[in-house]
Protein backbone atom coordinates (compact mmCIF):
# COMPACT_ATOMS: atom_id res chain seq x y z
CA UNK A 1 0.00 0.00 0.00
CA UNK A 2 1.30 3.40 -0.93
CA UNK A 3 1.17 6.42 1.32
CA UNK A 4 -0.98 8.37 -1.20
CA UNK A 5 -3.63 5.66 -1.16
CA UNK A 6 -3.78 5.71 2.63
CA UNK A 7 -4.05 9.50 2.62
CA UNK A 8 -6.81 9.45 -0.03
CA UNK A 9 -8.77 7.06 2.15
CA UNK A 10 -8.29 9.22 5.24
CA UNK A 11 -9.57 12.29 3.43
CA UNK A 12 -12.97 10.71 2.92
CA UNK A 13 -15.60 12.72 4.74
CA UNK A 14 -17.22 9.59 6.16
CA UNK A 15 -14.16 8.89 8.32
CA UNK A 16 -14.95 10.27 11.77
CA UNK A 17 -13.01 8.21 14.28
CA UNK A 18 -9.66 6.43 14.18
CA UNK A 19 -8.16 4.30 16.96
CA UNK A 20 -4.36 4.00 17.10
CA UNK A 21 -2.69 1.05 18.83
CA UNK A 22 0.88 0.93 20.12
CA UNK A 23 2.60 -2.34 20.99
CA UNK A 24 2.76 -3.73 24.53
CA UNK A 25 4.57 -1.40 26.95
CA UNK A 26 4.89 1.19 24.19
CA UNK A 27 8.45 2.39 23.71
CA UNK A 28 9.29 5.83 22.34
CA UNK A 29 9.16 4.64 18.75
CA UNK A 30 5.72 3.10 19.07
CA UNK A 31 4.23 5.89 21.17
CA UNK A 32 6.02 8.73 19.33
CA UNK A 33 4.78 7.26 16.04
CA UNK A 34 1.21 7.01 17.33
CA UNK A 35 1.21 10.62 18.52
CA UNK A 36 2.92 11.88 15.37
CA UNK A 37 0.52 9.97 13.11
CA UNK A 38 -2.56 10.91 15.13
CA UNK A 39 -1.75 14.63 14.87
CA UNK A 40 -1.26 14.29 11.12
CA UNK A 41 -4.65 12.58 10.81
CA UNK A 42 -6.24 15.60 12.49
CA UNK A 43 -4.61 17.89 9.92
CA UNK A 44 -5.70 15.72 7.01
CA UNK A 45 -9.23 15.41 8.30
CA UNK A 46 -10.10 18.20 10.76
CA UNK A 47 -12.69 17.17 13.30
CA UNK A 48 -11.52 13.57 13.23
CA UNK A 49 -11.62 11.85 16.60
CA UNK A 50 -8.29 10.16 17.32
CA UNK A 51 -7.74 7.79 20.27
CA UNK A 52 -4.45 6.23 21.34
CA UNK A 53 -4.40 2.85 23.09
CA UNK A 54 -1.25 1.51 24.76
CA UNK A 55 -1.70 -2.17 25.70
CA UNK A 56 0.08 -2.82 28.99
CA UNK A 57 0.77 0.90 29.43
CA UNK A 58 3.64 3.11 28.34
CA UNK A 59 7.33 2.49 28.91
CA UNK A 60 9.06 4.69 31.47
CA UNK A 61 10.46 7.03 28.81
CA UNK A 62 7.22 7.15 26.83
CA UNK A 63 5.43 8.16 30.03
CA UNK A 64 7.71 11.17 30.30
CA UNK A 65 7.00 12.15 26.71
CA UNK A 66 3.24 11.67 27.18
CA UNK A 67 3.33 13.97 30.21
CA UNK A 68 5.26 16.60 28.29
CA UNK A 69 2.87 16.42 25.35
CA UNK A 70 -0.18 16.16 27.63
CA UNK A 71 -1.52 13.28 25.58
CA UNK A 72 -4.52 11.37 26.73
CA UNK A 73 -4.26 7.61 26.55
CA UNK A 74 -7.42 5.57 26.72
CA UNK A 75 -8.27 2.06 27.90
CA UNK A 76 -11.74 2.26 26.42
CA UNK A 77 -11.46 3.54 22.87
CA UNK A 78 -14.64 3.94 20.81
CA UNK A 79 -13.83 0.75 18.91
CA UNK A 80 -17.38 0.02 17.79
CA UNK A 81 -17.63 3.53 16.31
CA UNK A 82 -14.16 3.46 14.75
CA UNK A 83 -13.89 3.87 10.99
CA UNK A 84 -10.32 2.70 10.99
CA UNK A 85 -7.73 1.09 13.26
CA UNK A 86 -4.00 1.76 12.93
CA UNK A 87 -1.27 -0.43 14.46
CA UNK A 88 2.06 1.35 14.90
CA UNK A 89 5.36 -0.49 15.39
CA UNK A 90 3.35 -3.64 16.22
CA UNK A 91 5.25 -6.74 15.11
CA UNK A 92 3.18 -9.59 16.54
CA UNK A 93 -0.50 -9.77 17.43
CA UNK A 94 0.45 -10.95 20.91
CA UNK A 95 2.01 -7.52 21.50
CA UNK A 96 -1.55 -6.18 21.49
CA UNK A 97 -2.34 -8.20 24.64
CA UNK A 98 -6.06 -8.96 24.69
CA UNK A 99 -6.87 -6.32 22.06
CA UNK A 100 -5.85 -8.62 19.20
CA UNK A 101 -9.08 -10.62 19.30
CA UNK A 102 -11.23 -7.51 19.62
CA UNK A 103 -9.54 -5.89 16.66
CA UNK A 104 -9.88 -9.09 14.62
CA UNK A 105 -13.64 -9.06 15.07
CA UNK A 106 -13.98 -5.50 13.68
CA UNK A 107 -15.12 -4.92 10.14
CA UNK A 108 -13.20 -1.70 9.57
CA UNK A 109 -9.92 -1.31 7.71
CA UNK A 110 -6.83 -2.02 9.80
CA UNK A 111 -3.65 -0.25 8.75
CA UNK A 112 -0.24 -1.48 9.90
CA UNK A 113 2.72 0.93 9.86
CA UNK A 114 5.91 -0.86 10.85
CA UNK A 115 9.59 -1.52 10.27
CA UNK A 116 9.95 -5.04 11.73
CA UNK A 117 10.43 -8.21 9.70
CA UNK A 118 6.80 -8.84 8.61
CA UNK A 119 5.02 -11.40 10.76
CA UNK A 120 2.43 -13.54 8.92
CA UNK A 121 -0.22 -13.32 11.64
CA UNK A 122 0.01 -9.54 11.86
CA UNK A 123 -0.14 -9.38 8.05
CA UNK A 124 -3.33 -11.42 8.17
CA UNK A 125 -4.88 -9.09 10.75
CA UNK A 126 -4.02 -5.92 8.83
CA UNK A 127 -6.13 -5.09 5.80
CA UNK A 128 -3.38 -2.89 4.43
CA UNK A 129 0.08 -1.92 5.51
CA UNK A 130 2.95 0.46 4.98
CA UNK A 131 5.99 -1.64 5.87
CA UNK A 132 9.65 -0.95 5.42
CA UNK A 133 12.15 -3.23 7.05
CA UNK A 134 15.00 -0.96 5.97
CA UNK A 135 13.62 1.96 8.02
CA UNK A 136 15.54 2.42 11.26
CA UNK A 137 12.33 3.31 13.12
CA UNK A 138 8.58 3.42 12.59
CA UNK A 139 8.74 7.15 13.40
CA UNK A 140 10.67 7.69 10.14
CA UNK A 141 7.88 5.99 8.17
CA UNK A 142 5.37 8.25 9.93
CA UNK A 143 7.50 11.24 8.96
CA UNK A 144 7.23 10.15 5.31
CA UNK A 145 3.47 10.69 5.65
CA UNK A 146 4.14 14.24 6.89
CA UNK A 147 6.54 14.90 4.05
CA UNK A 148 4.23 13.51 1.36
CA UNK A 149 1.16 15.33 2.59
CA UNK A 150 3.09 18.60 2.89
CA UNK A 151 1.64 19.64 6.24
CA UNK A 152 3.94 21.73 8.39
CA UNK A 153 4.97 19.63 11.39
CA UNK A 154 4.73 21.44 14.72
CA UNK A 155 7.20 21.23 17.59
CA UNK A 156 5.27 18.64 19.61
CA UNK A 157 4.89 16.18 16.74
CA UNK A 158 8.49 16.75 15.68
CA UNK A 159 9.63 16.03 19.23
CA UNK A 160 7.65 12.79 19.42
CA UNK A 161 9.10 11.54 16.12
CA UNK A 162 12.62 12.72 16.99
CA UNK A 163 12.60 10.79 20.26
CA UNK A 164 11.14 7.71 18.56
CA UNK A 165 13.99 7.79 16.08
CA UNK A 166 16.65 8.51 18.73
CA UNK A 167 15.38 5.59 20.81
CA UNK A 168 15.15 2.96 18.08
CA UNK A 169 18.49 3.89 16.51
CA UNK A 170 20.22 3.79 19.94
CA UNK A 171 20.94 7.49 19.71
CA UNK A 172 21.65 7.30 15.96
CA UNK A 173 24.19 4.47 16.11
CA UNK A 174 21.84 2.44 13.87
CA UNK A 175 20.78 5.39 11.73
CA UNK A 176 20.88 5.40 7.92
CA UNK A 177 20.88 8.33 5.51
CA UNK A 178 17.10 8.74 5.60
CA UNK A 179 17.30 8.89 9.39
CA UNK A 180 19.64 11.87 9.21
CA UNK A 181 17.58 13.58 6.50
CA UNK A 182 14.53 13.24 8.70
CA UNK A 183 16.45 14.48 11.74
CA UNK A 184 17.60 17.53 9.77
CA UNK A 185 13.98 18.32 8.87
CA UNK A 186 12.90 17.90 12.48
CA UNK A 187 15.70 20.19 13.67
CA UNK A 188 14.43 22.76 11.16
CA UNK A 189 11.09 22.48 12.94
CA UNK A 190 12.45 23.51 16.30
CA UNK A 191 14.05 20.43 17.82
CA UNK A 192 17.09 21.15 19.97
CA UNK A 193 19.00 17.88 19.87
CA UNK A 194 20.77 18.24 23.20
CA UNK A 195 17.66 19.32 25.06
CA UNK A 196 15.50 16.62 23.47
CA UNK A 197 17.99 13.86 24.27
CA UNK A 198 18.28 15.08 27.85
CA UNK A 199 14.57 14.44 28.25
CA UNK A 200 15.16 10.73 27.87
CA UNK A 201 18.54 10.53 29.61
CA UNK A 202 17.14 9.76 33.02
CA UNK A 203 18.58 7.25 35.48
CA UNK A 204 16.82 3.91 35.62
CA UNK A 205 14.41 3.42 38.46
CA UNK A 206 15.29 1.04 41.27
CA UNK A 207 13.18 -2.01 40.22
CA UNK A 208 14.79 -1.98 36.78
CA UNK A 209 18.29 -1.63 38.21
CA UNK A 210 17.63 -4.53 40.60
CA UNK A 211 16.26 -6.70 37.77
CA UNK A 212 19.39 -5.97 35.73
CA UNK A 213 21.71 -6.76 38.63
CA UNK A 214 19.87 -10.00 39.40
CA UNK A 215 19.97 -11.03 35.75
CA UNK A 216 23.71 -10.42 35.59
CA UNK A 217 24.24 -12.31 38.87
CA UNK A 218 22.17 -15.31 37.74
CA UNK A 219 23.49 -15.44 34.19
CA UNK A 220 24.73 -18.75 32.83
CA UNK A 221 27.55 -18.24 30.40
CA UNK A 222 27.76 -20.46 27.33
CA UNK A 223 30.62 -20.52 24.85
CA UNK A 224 29.26 -21.38 21.41
CA UNK A 225 31.92 -21.38 18.69
CA UNK A 226 33.85 -18.27 19.66
CA UNK A 227 30.79 -16.44 21.03
CA UNK A 228 29.70 -15.69 24.57
CA UNK A 229 25.99 -16.30 25.04
CA UNK A 230 24.53 -15.26 28.40
CA UNK A 231 21.20 -16.73 29.49
CA UNK A 232 19.35 -15.47 32.52
CA UNK A 233 16.01 -15.07 34.25
CA UNK A 234 14.04 -12.13 35.61
CA UNK A 235 10.30 -11.77 35.96
CA UNK A 236 10.42 -8.21 34.59
CA UNK A 237 12.60 -5.89 32.52
CA UNK A 238 13.92 -8.73 30.35
CA UNK A 239 14.95 -6.43 27.49
CA UNK A 240 16.77 -4.09 29.84
CA UNK A 241 18.54 -7.06 31.45
CA UNK A 242 19.65 -8.21 27.98
CA UNK A 243 21.17 -4.80 27.28
CA UNK A 244 22.98 -4.95 30.63
CA UNK A 245 24.41 -8.38 29.78
CA UNK A 246 25.72 -7.09 26.45
CA UNK A 247 27.32 -4.15 28.22
CA UNK A 248 29.22 -6.42 30.58
CA UNK A 249 30.57 -8.53 27.74
CA UNK A 250 28.08 -10.98 26.25
CA UNK A 251 27.78 -11.27 22.47
CA UNK A 252 24.23 -12.58 22.79
CA UNK A 253 21.83 -12.29 25.73
CA UNK A 254 18.66 -14.29 26.26
CA UNK A 255 16.55 -13.35 29.29
CA UNK A 256 13.15 -14.71 30.20
CA UNK A 257 10.71 -14.83 33.05
CA UNK A 258 7.10 -15.35 34.02
CA UNK A 259 4.75 -12.73 35.38
CA UNK A 260 0.99 -13.15 35.68
CA UNK A 261 1.40 -16.57 34.03
CA UNK A 262 2.82 -14.94 30.92
CA UNK A 263 6.28 -15.96 29.80
CA UNK A 264 8.31 -13.23 28.13
CA UNK A 265 11.69 -13.82 26.56
CA UNK A 266 13.94 -11.08 25.19
CA UNK A 267 16.96 -11.56 22.96
CA UNK A 268 19.72 -9.14 22.03
CA UNK A 269 23.01 -9.44 20.21
CA UNK A 270 25.85 -7.16 19.30
CA UNK A 271 26.33 -5.77 15.80
CA UNK A 272 29.60 -7.66 15.53
CA UNK A 273 27.83 -10.95 16.25
CA UNK A 274 25.16 -10.29 13.62
CA UNK A 275 27.64 -9.21 10.95
CA UNK A 276 29.87 -12.22 11.41
CA UNK A 277 27.23 -14.92 11.89
CA UNK A 278 24.25 -13.59 9.94
CA UNK A 279 22.04 -14.95 12.73
CA UNK A 280 18.80 -12.94 12.71
CA UNK A 281 17.42 -13.10 16.24
CA UNK A 282 13.88 -12.26 15.15
CA UNK A 283 13.54 -14.65 12.23
CA UNK A 284 15.91 -17.46 13.29
CA UNK A 285 15.25 -17.62 17.02
CA UNK A 286 12.27 -15.58 18.26
CA UNK A 287 9.78 -16.79 15.62
CA UNK A 288 10.34 -20.55 16.21
CA UNK A 289 10.73 -19.97 19.95
CA UNK A 290 7.38 -18.12 20.05
CA UNK A 291 5.67 -21.10 18.42
CA UNK A 292 7.40 -23.50 20.82
CA UNK A 293 6.12 -21.59 23.86
CA UNK A 294 2.57 -21.53 22.54
CA UNK A 295 2.64 -17.84 21.73
CA UNK A 296 4.38 -15.67 19.19
CA UNK A 297 7.78 -14.20 18.62
CA UNK A 298 9.52 -11.87 16.23
CA UNK A 299 11.69 -8.83 15.95
CA UNK A 300 14.80 -7.47 14.40
CA UNK A 301 18.23 -8.80 13.53
CA UNK A 302 19.78 -7.88 16.88
CA UNK A 303 16.72 -7.35 19.10
CA UNK A 304 13.82 -9.73 19.36
CA UNK A 305 11.33 -11.22 21.76
CA UNK A 306 8.86 -14.03 22.22
CA UNK A 307 5.81 -14.20 24.46
CA UNK A 308 3.83 -17.25 25.44
CA UNK A 309 3.60 -19.62 28.34
CA UNK A 310 5.61 -22.38 29.93
CA UNK A 311 8.56 -23.08 32.14
CA UNK A 312 11.18 -20.35 31.80
CA UNK A 313 14.17 -22.64 32.34
CA UNK A 314 13.11 -25.10 29.64
CA UNK A 315 12.12 -22.27 27.30
CA UNK A 316 15.42 -20.47 27.70
CA UNK A 317 17.14 -23.77 26.98
CA UNK A 318 15.14 -24.01 23.73
CA UNK A 319 16.25 -20.51 22.80
CA UNK A 320 19.85 -21.45 23.46
CA UNK A 321 19.46 -24.62 21.36
CA UNK A 322 18.10 -22.58 18.44
CA UNK A 323 21.13 -20.31 18.61
CA UNK A 324 23.48 -23.28 18.93
CA UNK A 325 21.92 -25.10 15.95
CA UNK A 326 22.05 -22.01 13.77
CA UNK A 327 25.69 -21.31 14.68
CA UNK A 328 26.81 -24.85 13.97
CA UNK A 329 25.39 -24.69 10.43
CA UNK A 330 27.82 -23.75 7.66
CA UNK A 331 27.73 -19.96 7.42
CA UNK A 332 26.01 -18.60 4.34
CA UNK A 333 27.71 -15.24 4.58
MN1 LIG B 1 10.40 0.43 16.44
Amino acid sequence: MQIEEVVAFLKEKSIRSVVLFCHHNADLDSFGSAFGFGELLKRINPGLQVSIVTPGGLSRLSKRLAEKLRVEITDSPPLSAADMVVLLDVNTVIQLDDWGDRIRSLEVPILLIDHHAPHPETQKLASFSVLDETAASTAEIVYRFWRETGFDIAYQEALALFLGIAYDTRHFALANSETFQTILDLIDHGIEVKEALQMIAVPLELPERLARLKAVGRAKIHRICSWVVAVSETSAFQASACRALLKVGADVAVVGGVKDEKLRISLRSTGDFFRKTGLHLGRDVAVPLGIAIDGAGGGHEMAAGANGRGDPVASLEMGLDLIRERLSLPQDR
Side-chain angles (χ1 to χ4, degrees):
M1 183 98 183
Q2 297 301 309
I3 287 179
E4 311 92 78
E5 297 171 68
V6 175
V7 173
F9 174 81
L10 289 165
K11 278 185 177 154
E12 283 175 30
K13 291 238 161 34
S14 56
I15 306 284
R16 302 223 162 277
S17 170
V18 176
V19 181
L20 309 178
F21 281 88
C22 299
H23 63 64
H24 178 86
N25 191 30
D27 61 16
L28 282 169
D29 189 33
S30 189
F31 174 64
S33 294
F35 178 77
F37 194 65
E39 293 305 300
L40 177 65
L41 294 183
K42 294 180 198 163
R43 305 285 176 89
I44 294 174
N45 189 337
L48 187 77
Q49 189 193 3
V50 176
S51 320
I52 299 181
V53 186
T54 60
L58 291 163
S59 76
R60 181 179 59 102
L61 297 177
S62 295
K63 225 176 266 168
R64 286 177 71 93
L65 176 62
E67 280 162 18
K68 170 136 179 120
L69 300 174
R70 298 171 200 270
V71 186
E72 252 185 75
I73 305 293
T74 178
D75 285 333
S76 47
L79 260 194
S80 48
D83 298 302
M84 185 189 201
V85 166
V86 187
L87 313 176
L88 294 119
D89 202 43
V90 174
N91 186 204
T92 65
V93 176
I94 215 156
Q95 286 182 310
L96 292 167
D97 292 355
D98 303 332
W99 290 101
D101 288 333
R102 295 190 54 190
I103 294 173
R104 202 174 274 126
S105 67
L106 296 173
E107 277 169 18
V108 297
I110 297 165
L111 166 66
L112 171 66
I113 304 177
D114 191 28
H115 70 128
H116 294 87
H119 192 284
E121 223 194 308
T122 322
Q123 297 283 91
K124 227 196 296 166
L125 177 69
S127 19
F128 46 108
S129 44
V130 176
L131 296 180
D132 183 0
E133 229 190 309
T134 69
S137 61
T138 296
E140 283 165 65
I141 305 176
V142 170
Y143 186 71
R144 290 180 198 162
F145 280 87
W146 278 94
R147 202 167 35 213
E148 293 213 11
T149 50
F151 287 100
D152 211 21
I153 192 166
Y155 173 76
Q156 293 216 322
E157 295 109 51
L159 179 67
L161 296 183
F162 176 87
L163 292 180
I165 296 168
Y167 181 80
D168 257 34
T169 60
R170 296 190 203 153
H171 290 203
F172 314 112
L174 304 176
N176 55 41
S177 74
E178 184 186 348
T179 314
F180 287 116
Q181 277 164 14
T182 303
I183 292 299
L184 277 179
D185 277 1
L186 297 177
I187 289 173
D188 283 342
H189 286 85
I191 298 303
E192 296 279 354
V193 173
K194 212 163 125 190
E195 187 191 279
L197 291 179
Q198 256 161 17
M199 266 190 62
I200 56 168
V202 285
L204 300 179
E205 281 169 21
L206 189 62
E208 186 165 358
R209 280 189 278 146
L210 292 177
R212 283 178 155 219
L213 287 164
K214 279 185 211 158
V216 171
R218 290 174 190 155
K220 300 247 177 359
I221 316 299
H222 302 267
R223 297 297 306 272
I224 305 177
C225 303
S226 57
W227 303 104
V228 178
V229 181
V231 178
S232 193
E233 256 187 85
T234 65
S235 59
F237 301 110
Q238 291 90 0
S240 179
C242 280
R243 290 193 291 271
L245 286 164
L246 293 192
K247 269 190 199 154
V248 297
D251 295 299
V252 183
V254 185
V255 178
V258 175
K259 195 180 194 177
D260 303 329
E261 288 172 38
K262 284 179 186 147
L263 171 64
R264 294 185 189 283
I265 299 176
S266 275
L267 305 111
R268 294 289 183 281
S269 74
T270 62
D272 186 49
F273 175 83
F274 173 67
R275 275 188 302 276
K276 291 183 177 149
T277 64
L279 189 149
H280 187 300
L281 283 182
R283 187 191 59 213
D284 299 337
V285 185
V287 170
L289 185 59
I291 295 165
I293 61 174
D294 209 15
H300 303 281
E301 296 156 346
M302 298 177 280
N307 300 330
R309 34 192 83 242
D311 172 49
V313 177
S315 310
L316 288 168
E317 193 62 41
M318 276 192 276
L320 184 65
D321 284 343
L322 286 163
I323 294 170
R324 196 179 276 129
E325 275 165 34
R326 187 66 172 68
L327 288 181
S328 57
L329 292 174
Q331 301 302 315
D332 44 24
R333 46 190 275 161

